Each structure stands twice: as structure tokens, then as C-alpha cells.
């Protein structure tokens, strides 16, 4: 899966830098094109000449080449890369990455990179378990970075413990597995709803909720990045899509969302119902603005909106996979499992407003997945894109079973 891939290998100043000669050779052998970026301290542990010989490219370390003045663009490098690996990743570099300290070419390129980032920590065991390192690694995970956990063994200090950079062969296997997964939805058609719906009261007022659409859009980008053709039915949100594999359908009301979903349901292999749909709409929308002076205590009569999840569950074929969402404030597990059964879903994603940094208007989420097989999958708080990756992994398992 690495053939033809553009890989940036970032090397920092740790003794494990010597392993990067083998790592570079293995990446080249797998068919990747490798650009090495070294921090100044990394050159104390392994010579740039060794790595440029193995990679076939001049090693980059500074923002510009001293003898020619040629500028090394971190922006261009970030756009070129299909993946960025930082190995070994020292405590210093991990701290800079977590906190945006762009004082060298490697961290600046990391901040510019659009590609997935893999971090292979390497340091002494006390540094590895220090609260600041633990926090910084948690931050990197929350940003969507992939942490390749270090192994246990004898360290440079001759102490025994966790902190050895993972072996080059295993790092290459992790990359290969990632790119294999990036094409696992090739040829599939995924229908996703996202964001809120808006129900008019009069020409200037409406009923809605606090959904930003971030979770649904993250799911759309994740599915598209893994090869699926995505139809994204989105309520009113201030978000954009990046992938050319996403067809966006903008709607406003729950009725419009229902109609858009049901029209596209027959062509879909999977349906992810992530939108926060208003349960009710105003029965009689005022044709002009309701004036406070004329209506002291206005009464708004509500009527139920179509239940999109129920309609999909009733109409779905056996070869289609349906995924629901449940945002709960109490009795979370029971409410989510009840919805799973009532709506005839394959699995449901539950999150609670009682969990910090989960739910509306934030960039992170913490979920629990309940499946129709009785499985319960508990997740950690992480970026919504990372959460989307976990959800789509479960979706892929269902789709694979249907193929078999």
C-alpha cells in the first residue's frame, strides 16, 4: 500500500535516530518516496549524508540552504506529503507539536501538513511517564495524530521500561495498515445527515438546536478519504467540505431532510444519521413577523416532524447498514439501546452532554457504540475526526459481512 506514496520522515535528536537509516530503507523498498527532515540536534546522532543516500533526496534541516539561499517551503512540503512520520519523537518535539512552537523546519512542516501524522515517541521511562509528556501525547491524539506506542526494554540510560522507539519494521506495518484502510470503502455509497434543522415560527424567528454539524462533516470526510462516494445532507451550518468525493445537499427543515434522505436511500450502501433533527415544527407559520405589542402571550402550536431514522429503518434492505446517533443527558445507555431497537439500526453512537468536551459546538467528542449484536464499544475523548475514524471502522466491519 505504500507504493507511490509521498512520505516525510521527521527525525529528532534522540539516540533512536540511528534506526531511521533502516526505516528509510524499508520505506523506499516498499515503493514510497521519502523526504527526510531533521532537527538540528538529530544531526548529532546520524549523518544527513547517510539518509540522503538512502532516500535519494537531499535532507532538509533549515528553512533555507545556507550556501545558495534556496528557501525550503514547509507549506509545499505539507501539501506534497501523503503521510508525515516523526521518529524518534523526543519529549521536546512532542511538546512543541502539542503547543504549536514552530521554531524549526520539522515542527513548522507538521503545522502545515494536511496529511495524517504518525508519532513514534522515544525517551527515557521517567520522561515518558511525566505528566507533561502524558498530557502532550493526549493533546496530539485529540488533534487526530496517530501515536505509535513505544516498546518496553533497555533504554539508553540502561534502565528498563517503556520508552524504546518502535522497531522500523513495525512502523512500516502501521503505515501500510493505515493506507490499506484508506481504501476499504472503495465503491461504496454512503448517505450522511449532519447539522441541525430549522423550523420557522415567522419570517424572522425559528426553532432549532445547538448542533454545529462538525461530527457529521467529519464522518463525511472520513468516508470520502477511504474511497466512498458520500452524499451529505446538511442542515444550515457554517462548514465546508474538502473532498471531491462528497456530494453536498443543503436543506433547512426536517421535512426537506426527510425527503432528501428517502429519495437517495435506495442507492445507498450505508446511511449514517448524524443530524440533530427537530422533533417538532410549527403547525401554522406566521406570514408576517409576530409583534410583541399585538400579541401579549403568543401560543405556538407544534406538530411532529417525520421520524427520519424510523422511516429509514422501515425501508432499509438487508444489505444496507444503518447507523444512528443518540445525544443524551440522562439514562444514556438505556435510552441509546432503546433507540437502537426502535429504529431498526445496525449500531448507534451515543454521547452524553454530561461528558466534558463532548456534544455540540466543540471539536472533540466521547462516544459509546452499541451494536445490534449486543457489543458495547467505549471510546476516549478525542478529535471528532478521530472519532469518525473509529465509527467508520465499525461501519466497514458491517459492510464487509454483507459482502460475504
Amino acid at each position: 500500500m505504500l507504493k507511490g506514496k509521498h512520505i516525510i520522515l521527521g527525525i529528532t535528536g534522540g539516540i533512536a535516530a540511528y534506526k531511521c537509516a533502516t526505516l528509510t530503507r524499508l520505506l523506499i523498498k516498499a515503493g514510497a518516496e521519502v523526504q527526510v527532515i531533521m532537527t538540528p540536534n538529530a544531526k548529532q546522532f546520524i549523518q544527513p549524508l547517510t539518509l540522503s543516500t538512502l532516500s535519494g533526496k537531499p535532507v532538509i534541516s533549515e528553512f533555507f540552504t545556507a550556501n545558495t539561499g534556496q528557501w525550503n517551503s514547509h507549506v509545499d512540503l505539507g501539501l506534497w506529503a501523503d503521510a508525515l512520520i516523526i521518529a524518534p519523537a523526543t519529549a521536546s518535539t512532542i511538546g512543541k507539536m502539542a503547543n504549536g512552537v514552530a521554531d524549526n523546519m520539522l515542527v513548522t512542516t507538521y503545522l502545515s501538513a494536511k496529511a495524517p501524522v504518525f508519532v513514534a515517541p522515544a525517551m527515557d521511562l521517567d520522561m515518558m511517564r511525566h505528566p507533561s509528556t502524558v498530557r502532550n501525547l493526549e493533546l496530539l491524539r485529540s488533534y487526530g495524530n496517530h501515536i505509535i506506542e513505544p516498546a518496553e526494554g533497555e533504554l539508553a540510560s540502561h534502565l528498563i521500561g517503556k520508552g524504546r522507539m518502535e522497531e522500523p519494521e513495525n512502523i512500516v506495518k502501521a503505515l501500510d495498515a493505515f493506507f490499506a484502510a484508506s481504501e476499504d470503502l472503495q465503491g461504496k455509497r454512503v448517505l450522511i445527515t449532519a447539522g441541525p434543522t430549522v423550523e420557522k415560527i415567522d419570517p424572522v424567528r425559528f426553532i432549532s438546536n445547538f448542533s454545529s454539524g462538525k461530527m457529521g462533516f467529519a464522518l463525511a470526510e472520513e468516508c470520502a478519504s477511504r474511497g466512498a462516494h458520500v452524499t451529505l445532507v446538511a442542515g444550515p451550518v457554517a462548514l465546508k467540505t474538502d473532498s471531491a468525493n462528497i456530494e453536498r445537499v443543503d436543506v433547512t427543515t426536517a421535512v426537506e431532510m426527510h425527503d432528501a434522505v428517502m429519495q437517495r436511500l435506495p442507492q445507498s450502501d450505508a446511511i449514517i444519521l448524524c443530524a440533530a433533527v427537530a422533533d417538532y415544527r410549527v403547525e401554522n407559520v406566521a406570514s408576517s413577523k409576530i409583534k410583541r405589542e399585538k400579541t401579549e402571550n403568543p401560543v405556538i402550536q407544534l406538530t411532529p416532524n417525520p421520524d427520519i431514522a424510523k422511516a429509514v429503518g422501515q425501508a432499509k434492505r438487508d444489505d444496507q447498514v444503518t447507523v444512528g446517533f443518540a445525544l443524551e443527558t440522562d439514562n444514556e445507555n438505556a435510552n441509546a439501546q432503546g433507540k437502537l431497537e426502535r429504529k431498526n439500526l445496525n449500531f448507534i453512537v451515543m454521547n452524553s452532554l454530561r461528558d466534558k468536551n463532548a456534544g455540540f459546538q466543540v471539536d472533540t467528542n466521547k462516544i459509546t457504540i452499541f451494536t445490534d449484536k449486543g457489543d458495547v464499544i467505549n471510546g476516549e475523548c478525542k478529535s471528532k475526526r478521530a472519532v469518525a475514524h473509529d465509527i467508520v471502522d465499525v461501519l466497514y466491519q458491517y459492510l464487509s459481512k454483507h459482502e460475504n
Side-chain angles (χ1 to χ4, degrees):
M1 300 306 299
L2 293 176
K3 187 174 182 179
K5 293 292 189 288
H6 295 167
I7 308 294
I8 292 177
L9 173 56
I11 305 174
T12 71
I15 185 61
Y18 78 90
K19 294 183 179 181
C20 290
T22 301
L23 180 55
T24 303
R25 182 181 60 81
L26 291 174
L27 290 169
I28 294 293
K29 186 177 179 180
E33 190 174 341
V34 179
Q35 175 62 67
V36 175
I37 301 178
M38 303 178 72
T39 64
N41 284 339
K43 291 185 285 186
Q44 303 297 320
F45 294 92
I46 186 170
Q47 289 295 312
L49 178 60
T50 301
L51 296 161
S52 65
T53 302
L54 291 168
S55 67
K57 290 179 177 292
V59 169
I60 296 173
S61 182
E62 307 295 340
F63 290 102
F64 61 91
T65 305
N67 58 343
T68 66
Q70 177 181 337
W71 176 256
N72 296 314
S73 173
H74 57 279
V75 175
D76 290 344
L77 286 166
L79 293 171
W80 174 82
D82 293 307
L84 170 60
I85 315 167
I86 300 179
T90 60
S92 175
T93 293
I94 288 170
K96 290 177 180 180
M97 292 169 63
N99 295 283
V101 181
D103 65 348
N104 61 46
M105 187 67 188
L106 177 55
V107 179
T108 306
T109 302
Y110 159 72
L111 293 173
S112 300
K114 295 183 179 296
V117 177
F118 297 81
V119 181
M123 63 196 76
D124 204 63
L125 76 165
D126 292 315
M127 298 175 71
M128 187 71 208
R129 63 193 181 194
H130 192 277
S132 64
T133 305
V134 172
R135 181 203 62 191
N136 287 332
L137 285 171
E138 288 174 352
L139 277 173
L140 290 183
R141 283 192 185 93
S142 75
Y143 300 158
N145 296 303
H146 304 269
I147 309 301
I148 301 175
E149 291 290 339
E152 294 193 15
E154 185 176 359
L155 305 171
S157 63
H158 302 299
L159 296 174
I160 307 295
K162 185 175 181 179
R164 289 174 60 92
M165 187 183 95
E166 185 56 274
E167 295 303 318
E169 293 82 0
N170 292 332
I171 293 175
V172 172
K173 285 180 182 177
L175 283 171
D176 194 70
F178 173 83
F179 283 113
S182 71
E183 298 182 8
D184 56 13
L185 297 184
Q186 193 72 40
K188 299 298 182 183
R189 302 184 70 87
V190 182
L191 176 61
I192 301 175
T193 65
T197 62
V198 169
E199 312 295 337
K200 281 187 175 182
I201 298 172
D202 63 20
V204 298
R205 301 181 181 92
F206 58 83
I207 297 171
S208 190
N209 56 63
F210 295 111
S211 175
S212 63
K214 291 178 179 179
M215 191 69 248
F217 274 64
L219 282 162
E221 295 291 350
E222 178 67 21
C223 288
S225 73
R226 294 166 75 155
H229 174 81
V230 177
T231 300
L232 177 62
V233 181
V237 294
L239 298 173
K240 296 180 180 179
T241 55
D242 294 324
S243 175
N245 285 350
I246 300 175
E247 173 194 358
R248 180 169 174 174
V249 180
D250 289 309
V251 298
T252 301
T253 68
V255 170
E256 291 172 353
M257 183 172 282
H258 169 272
D259 293 346
V261 167
M262 299 311 292
Q263 179 184 346
R264 293 161 177 82
L265 178 62
Q267 298 81 37
S268 303
D269 297 296
I271 305 92
I272 304 176
L273 301 164
C274 187
V277 183
D279 291 326
Y280 298 92
R281 67 183 184 275
V282 178
E283 188 169 16
N284 297 302
V285 178
S287 59
S288 58
K289 180 180 177 181
I290 299 172
K291 294 291 188 178
R292 179 174 182 174
E293 295 81 3
K294 295 181 179 180
T295 310
E296 184 175 349
N297 295 306
V299 175
I300 300 173
Q301 187 69 37
L302 301 179
T303 189
N305 269 321
D307 188 330
I308 299 175
K310 183 178 180 179
V312 168
Q314 291 174 339
K316 65 174 284 192
R317 303 187 305 269
D318 289 342
D319 64 339
Q320 291 177 310
V321 180
T322 52
V323 183
F325 272 72
L327 176 62
E328 303 294 342
T329 59
D330 55 83
N331 299 321
E332 289 92 337
N333 292 359
N335 288 336
Q337 290 173 315
K339 185 175 181 180
L340 170 71
E341 297 172 5
R342 292 195 310 274
K343 312 296 184 181
N344 189 29
L345 302 167
N346 291 103
F347 66 92
I348 193 165
V349 180
M350 186 275 291
N351 58 317
S352 173
L353 285 181
R354 292 197 289 182
D355 286 326
K356 185 179 180 181
N357 297 323
F360 291 141
Q361 302 290 330
V362 294
D363 294 323
T364 55
N365 206 357
K366 181 182 180 182
I367 64 167
T368 301
I369 295 176
F370 298 93
T371 76
D372 58 359
K373 307 299 182 185
D375 299 320
V376 180
I377 305 168
N378 292 304
E380 299 175 350
C381 185
K382 58 181 76 174
S383 72
K384 286 186 174 177
R385 182 58 188 267
V387 170
H389 181 83
D390 295 342
I391 295 169
V392 177
D393 279 349
V394 179
L395 174 65
Y396 170 68
Q397 293 173 14
Y398 271 88
L399 289 170
S400 297
K401 290 178 183 177
H402 286 178
E403 287 180 352
N404 298 330

